[in-house]
Structures are given as structure tokens and as C-alpha cells.
């Protein structure tokens, strides 16, 4: 009696399991979304680094193919996320709403119907069971009383103090208790027989209600199996044709990498095959002697192209991203040994790329493909090929100040975030080295302790006493 409550509780558990399954799918969808975002951010960052780095030719294209693969896989995982939420999650939500109906007083209609059905089926049998328990109790009490009466009678026979009248009463008591035992036993057996006769009908009625609960639960179990199979199909990218194509294309792009082709291209564009700018006679020009401020040089471009030098050959500038024109790089190459190691693991916050990661992009690669490489000259001459004095004794207008100021240690008064690649970024309290004094626009040239050289506003620092 009452054990049907476990079956009734299963209905409430079914509703809760629908919520659990929806939460499970929702969490997986969120993981798919975060993974897709991280793939996209990774591909974007490394694509920029490879394109700006020193790698070239077919190997560069093979390397970039990995970023293309990440972008395509990211799209597929976003589709997985969309399928999980828009199809599977919504399907469970709608089924749950249709299968379970909430009542005004709380609980579900299906739970109450099952509870009432079991109670109604069990009520007649439970009543008879109660009668059996009462008859059993009465029979056992009569047996106990008979045993006590027999014990008293036996003890009285050995007691000479008792008169015949008292002994007669004890014997009558024994006789009555025996009759009570027979009556209660008969009643007990009768009620038990009636219970046994009612049991088949009781079982039939209970099983009928139980089967209704079983059918309700069967619908939920079959529905869960159906949904889980759909989730599996959405998660299984191995059966998606486009997913297989991504890696076929990646393999083809890698196999297309040709060392001989890359070396031939480098010879034609960066080696003996490139167009030459042999020195030629130049007339004096007033424009050449116009002194450009350092800030104007910086803003012009990363490098200032020499004017007045005639190109030999038809090729004025190289195709692709590699320029063959002579230029002076405006800013010193940042040290490769920056504070950022691109291979270190980062803590997963589940958010998008932070501002710190954006700043890392500048430091991971210390190269740019269009940067100029100074030529090594003899010991008698400086490393700058343009620093020598020409035949007229005039200095090269692109030289920095001939006599650099003495280096001075300064401390930052305020935070400053560089707006251009040739500007330094620092926090209030950071120390750096001032390499050149303030120019006309109020900028100084300095060097951070990590070796990075660039410009900064002169009024943002103070000398260290």
C-alpha cells in the first residue's frame, strides 16, 4: 500500500529531466559558439602575422591555408550551435509543454491523475487489508490470553491455599479463552480469505493505472532517444561533406608548397634578378635640401623613398607585397624577445580576444615584409648606406641628427597608448630612456626597457633625478 508513489514521482522526474536535457544541450551550444569565436580570432590574428612576417611564396600560402581551415570550421561549429538551439532545444521545450500540464494549485495534471487512479484502485483492497490486520491482532491477543489462563490454572493446582471455588473460576477462564481463540481465528481466516479473493481484481485495477503511467513514460523515453539521435547528427561533422572538403583543400594547399618555386621568386624579387637602382649623376635640387621634421618623416610612411634616383629597367616596384624600392625604415624593428610568447597557454575566460591580445599582435612578429634591410658596409663607413657625404660635401637630407643627444632616463607622468606603429605605449610610473630631444611638434624619441624604440609626447615624462 502506497508504493505506487514511486511510479507517480516518475512523472515529475520526467518533467525535470526535460529541463536537464535542455540545459545540457544549451551548454554544449555555448561551447560550440565560444570555440567558433576562438577559431575565428585565432585565424584573424595569425593571418595578419604571417602576411606581415618574412615568409613568402607557396609556403606562405600553405601556412595561411590553416587559417582558412579554421574560419571554415568555425562556420560549421556556428551551424552546430544554431541547430542545437533552434531545433533540438526548441523541440524538447515544445514537447515538454504539450506533455505536462501545470495545475492552478501546483503540480501537474498527469501526476494528479495517476495519484487518483492508484488510490481509487487500491482503496477497496486497502480496506480489506485493514480488516485482516484487525482480525490478526484480535486473534493474537486471544492466543496470548489463553496462554496466561492456562498458566494460572497450572500454578493454582500446586497451591493448597486456593479453595475449589477459585480453582473453578480459573478453569472457566481457560475454557472461555480457548473459545475466543477459535472465534478470532475463524474471523481472521475469513477476512484473509476475502482479501485473497479481492487480490486479483485489485492487481488488475492497479496494473491498469500502472500501464497508463508506463505508456506516458514510454513516450518520454522514445522522445528522448529521438532527440539524442538528432543531436548526434548535428554534432557529427564527419558525415558533413563540406567538413571533409575543408581538409582535402588544406592538404592540396600544403602539397602545392614548392621550395624551388619560392627560391626562384626570391631570386627574381629580392636577389640578383631584381631591378637595380645603380647610382647615377644627379643635379642639385633645392627640394633635396629641404629639411623634413622627424614627425613628417614618420607620418609619410613606414619608409621614405629616395627621390631623384632613376630606376633601371621597366620594373619600378615589385609585385606582391615585397617592395624593391630603396627606403629608410622610420622605426627601429621591435625586439623579437617581447614580453609575449605566442605559444604560452592562456586562461580561458570564455570571452572574446581581450585588449591585451590585440596589443600582442604588434609584438609576436617583429617583421614586416616591406621593411628595408640596411646593408652592411665596411668598417670605415657607418652602417647606414645613405649617411656618407656626397661629392659636394652636403649631407644626406634623410640622415637623423648627426650628433644625437646624450641618453637620459625619464619617468612617465601619465598613461600613453601609441596611436601609430612608430609610437611607444607606456603606463604612468614606467621608466624609459630618452634618446633624442624634443622636436618642433613636441615629440621625443625614446627606448623602452624591452628594446622597443619609438616616439612619445615630450610633456608626458619627467627626468629622473
Amino acid at each position: 500500500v502506497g508504493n505506487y508513489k514511486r511510479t507517480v514521482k516518475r512523472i515529475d522526474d520526467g518533467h525535470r529531466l526535460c529541463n536537464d536535457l535542455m540545459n545540457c544541450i544549451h551548454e554544449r551550444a555555448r561551447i560550440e559558439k565560444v570555440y567558433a569565436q576562438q577559431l575565428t580570432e585565432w585565424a584573424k590574428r595569425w593571418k595578419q602575422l604571417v602576411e606581415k612576417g618574412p615568409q613568402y611564396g607557396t609556403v606562405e600560402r600553405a601556412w595561411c591555408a590553416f587559417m582558412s581551415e579554421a574560419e571554415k570550421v568555425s562556420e560549421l561549429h556556428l551551424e552546430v550551435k544554431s541547430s542545437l538551439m533552434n531545433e533540438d532545444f526548441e523541440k524538447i521545450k515544445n514537447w515538454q509543454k504539450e506533455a505536462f500540464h501545470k495545475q492552478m494549485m501546483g503540480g501537474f495534471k498527469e501526476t494528479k491523475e495517476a495519484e487518483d487512479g492508484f488510490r481509487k484502485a487500491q482503496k477497496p483492497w486497502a480496506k480489506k487489508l485493514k480488516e485482516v490486520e484487525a482480525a490478526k491482532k484480535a486473534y493474537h491477543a486471544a492466543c496470548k490470553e489463553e496462554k496466561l489462563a492456562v498458566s494460572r490454572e497450572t500454578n493454582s493446582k500446586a497451591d493448597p491455599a486456593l479453595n475449589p471455588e477459585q480453582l473453578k473460576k480459573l478453569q472457566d477462564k481457560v475454557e472461555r479463552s480457548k473459545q475466543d481463540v477459535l472465534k478470532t481465528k475463524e474471523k481472521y481466516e475469513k477476512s484473509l480469505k476475502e482479501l485473497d479473493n479481492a487480490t486479483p481484481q485489485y492487481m488488475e485495477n492497479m496494473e491498469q493505472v500502472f500501464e497508463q503511467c508506463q505508456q506516458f513514460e514510454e513516450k518520454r523515453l522514445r522522445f528522448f532517444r529521438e532527440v539524442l539521435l538528432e543531436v548526434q547528427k548535428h554534432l557529427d561533422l564527419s558525415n558533413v561533406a563540406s567538413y571533409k572538403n575543408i581538409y582535402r583543400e588544406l592538404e592540396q594547399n600544403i602539397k602545392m608548397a614548392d621550395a624551388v618555386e619560392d627560391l626562384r621568386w626570391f631570386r627574381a624579387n629580392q636577389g640578383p634578378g631584381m631591378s637595380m637602382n645603380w647610382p647615377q649623376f644627379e643635379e642639385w635640387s633645392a627640394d633635396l635640401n629641404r629639411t623634413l621634421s622627424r614627425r613628417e618623416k614618420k607620418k609619410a610612411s613606414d619608409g621614405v623613398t629616395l627621390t631623384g634616383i632613376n630606376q633601371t629597367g621597366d620594373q619600378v616596384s615589385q609585385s606582391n607585397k615585397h617592395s624593391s624600392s630603396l627606403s629608410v625604415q622610420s622605426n627601429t624593428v621591435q625586439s623579437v624577445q617581447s614580453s609575449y610568447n605566442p605559444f604560452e597557454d592562456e586562461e580561458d575566460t570564455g570571452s572574446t580576444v581581450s585588449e591585451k591580445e590585440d596589443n600582442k599582435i604588434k609584438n609576436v612578429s617583429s617583421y614586416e615584409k616591406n621593411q628595408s634591410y640596411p646593408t652592411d658596409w665596411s668598417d670605415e663607413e657607418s652602417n647606414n648606406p645613405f649617411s656618407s657625404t656626397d661629392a659636394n660635401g652636403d649631407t644626406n637630407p634623410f640622415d637623423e641628427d648627426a650628433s644625437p643627444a646624450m641618453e637620459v632616463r625619464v619617468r612617465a607622468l601619465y598613461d600613453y597608448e601609441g596611436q601609430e606603429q612608430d609610437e611607444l605605449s607606456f603606463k604612468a610610473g614606467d621608466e624609459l630612456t630618452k634618446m633624442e630631444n624634443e622636436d618642433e611638434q613636441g615629440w621625443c624619441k625614446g627606448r623602452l626597457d624591452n628594446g622597443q624604440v619609438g616616439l612619445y609626447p615630450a610633456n608626458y615624462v619627467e627626468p629622473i633625478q
Side-chain angles (χ1 to χ4, degrees):
V1 175
N3 280 337
Y4 63 83
K5 293 187 180 295
R6 290 177 295 184
T7 304
V8 174
K9 183 178 181 297
R10 189 175 61 175
I11 298 176
D12 294 333
D13 291 342
H15 183 273
R16 183 176 63 83
L17 287 170
C18 288
N19 290 333
D20 290 345
L21 184 55
M22 283 191 289
N23 289 334
C24 178
I25 291 176
H26 183 265
E27 287 185 14
R28 178 59 185 264
R30 187 166 64 246
I31 291 172
E32 295 288 336
K33 180 181 178 181
V34 171
Y35 179 54
Q37 289 176 338
Q38 290 177 341
L39 279 178
T40 301
E41 292 158 2
W42 173 84
K44 180 180 178 182
R45 186 160 63 93
W46 276 99
K47 191 173 184 180
Q48 292 176 354
L49 293 174
V50 173
E51 288 177 348
K52 291 181 179 180
Q55 186 57 60
Y56 56 89
T58 58
V59 173
E60 178 195 355
R61 289 194 291 274
W63 192 345
C64 287
F66 282 98
M67 276 61 89
S68 300
E69 171 265 344
E71 291 171 347
K72 293 175 183 177
V73 172
S74 173
E75 293 176 2
L76 290 179
H77 281 280
L78 284 178
E79 291 178 6
V80 171
K81 174 258 178 186
S82 178
S83 298
L84 292 176
M85 291 304 298
N86 297 336
E87 297 180 29
D88 303 328
F89 184 90
E90 289 298 322
K91 187 172 183 178
I92 300 170
K93 184 178 179 181
N94 294 333
W95 186 89
Q96 183 190 44
K97 189 175 181 181
E98 294 173 0
F100 298 91
H101 302 84
K102 289 187 177 180
Q103 299 184 114
M104 294 290 293
M105 301 299 292
F108 300 103
K109 176 184 175 183
E110 290 71 23
T111 303
K112 187 176 186 304
E113 288 177 351
E115 177 81 26
D116 292 345
F118 278 119
R119 187 182 291 113
K120 183 179 179 181
Q122 198 170 70
K123 188 175 181 180
W125 190 85
K127 184 178 179 181
K128 292 184 180 298
L129 178 64
K130 190 174 182 181
E131 293 174 356
V132 169
E133 292 294 332
K136 182 179 72 171
K137 185 177 180 182
Y139 169 67
H140 289 174
C143 291
K144 182 179 179 181
E145 189 65 27
E146 180 195 19
K147 185 177 180 181
L148 286 173
V150 171
S151 178
R152 289 194 193 104
E153 182 190 17
T154 304
N155 293 333
S156 64
K157 290 180 180 180
D159 187 0
L162 288 177
N163 55 43
E165 185 178 349
Q166 291 176 327
L167 185 61
K168 183 74 169 64
K169 287 182 180 180
L170 290 175
Q171 291 175 348
D172 292 343
K173 179 74 172 176
V174 170
E175 191 64 27
R176 284 197 304 271
S177 62
K178 287 182 178 180
Q179 291 177 1
D180 288 341
V181 167
L182 292 174
K183 290 180 181 179
T184 55
K185 182 179 181 182
E186 182 181 354
K187 190 175 181 180
Y188 178 31
E189 290 175 342
K190 182 180 178 182
S191 62
L192 192 59
K193 186 176 182 181
E194 289 177 355
L195 182 68
D196 291 340
N197 293 335
T199 297
Q201 183 64 40
Y202 160 68
M203 287 295 297
E204 183 179 346
N205 295 339
M206 290 292 285
E207 284 189 18
Q208 185 177 356
V209 182
F210 181 78
E211 282 302 319
Q212 293 175 357
C213 295
Q214 287 286 82
Q215 291 172 10
F216 184 81
E217 178 68 3
E218 182 183 11
K219 291 179 182 178
R220 186 189 70 82
L221 294 174
R222 290 186 181 277
F223 173 74
F224 269 40
R225 180 179 183 275
E226 177 186 342
V227 170
L228 293 174
L229 281 174
E230 292 182 8
V231 171
Q232 179 266 331
K233 291 177 182 177
H234 292 147
L235 294 176
D236 186 7
L237 294 179
S238 64
N239 290 326
V240 179
S242 58
Y243 188 74
K244 297 178 181 179
N245 291 336
I246 290 173
Y247 293 98
R248 274 197 288 266
E249 292 176 7
L250 177 61
E251 182 182 10
Q252 290 172 0
N253 285 325
I254 296 173
K255 288 182 177 179
M256 287 172 63
D258 188 344
V260 175
E261 171 62 22
D262 289 355
L263 294 175
R264 185 200 63 76
W265 178 90
F266 194 85
R267 177 182 179 86
N269 292 276
Q270 302 287 352
M274 66 187 292
S275 61
M276 301 299 179
N277 292 329
W278 300 114
Q280 298 184 17
F281 180 79
E282 301 175 37
E283 287 290 350
W284 176 85
S285 172
D287 290 340
L288 284 175
N289 285 344
R290 182 174 67 86
T291 302
L292 298 175
S293 70
R294 186 177 303 108
R295 189 63 185 158
E296 287 173 333
K297 294 181 193 176
K298 305 288 183 183
K299 288 193 173 181
S301 64
D302 285 345
V304 179
T305 304
L306 294 178
T307 59
I309 298 179
N310 295 327
Q311 299 282 345
T312 60
D314 296 333
Q315 185 178 5
V316 177
S317 62
Q318 297 177 8
S319 59
N320 295 337
K321 293 166 282 190
H322 307 275
S323 174
S324 63
S325 59
L326 295 175
S327 61
V328 178
Q329 189 175 356
S330 61
N331 61 322
T332 305
V333 178
Q334 296 178 2
S335 172
V336 176
Q337 300 194 5
S338 61
S339 60
Y340 173 67
N341 183 348
F343 304 104
E344 286 181 354
D345 291 332
E346 299 173 0
E347 293 184 2
D348 183 11
T349 61
S351 62
T352 57
V353 176
S354 63
E355 295 179 2
K356 184 168 70 174
E357 280 189 339
D358 292 336
N359 293 332
K360 290 174 184 175
I361 297 176
K362 301 177 183 178
N363 298 329
V364 173
S365 177
S366 61
Y367 296 90
E368 285 195 9
K369 291 188 176 180
N370 59 356
Q371 72 179 6
S372 300
Y373 296 88
T375 307
D376 290 335
W377 290 65
S378 64
D379 295 339
E380 290 78 15
E381 300 179 13
S382 69
N383 287 336
N384 187 344
F386 306 108
S387 64
S388 59
T389 304
D390 62 14
N392 295 327
D394 295 331
T395 59
N396 190 318
F398 303 100
D399 283 343
E400 299 291 347
D401 296 340
S403 56
M406 292 183 62
E407 295 184 348
V408 179
R409 294 290 286 177
V410 294
R411 180 183 295 107
L413 296 172
Y414 319 101
D415 294 351
Y416 182 71
E417 186 72 25
Q419 303 300 313
E420 299 183 16
Q421 291 185 355
D422 62 343
E423 296 179 10
L424 299 177
S425 297
F426 47 74
K427 300 290 184 182
D430 290 352
E431 295 183 4
L432 59 150
T433 302
K434 182 174 77 172
M435 301 173 63
E436 294 182 7
N437 292 326
E438 179 180 354
D439 61 12
E440 297 175 0
Q441 284 75 31
W443 294 83
C444 287
K445 184 176 182 181
R447 181 178 65 249
L448 297 177
D449 291 342
N450 65 2
Q452 183 181 351
V453 177
L455 299 176
Y456 64 87
N459 57 356
Y460 272 58
V461 303
E462 65 176 357
I464 298 176
Q465 301 296 333

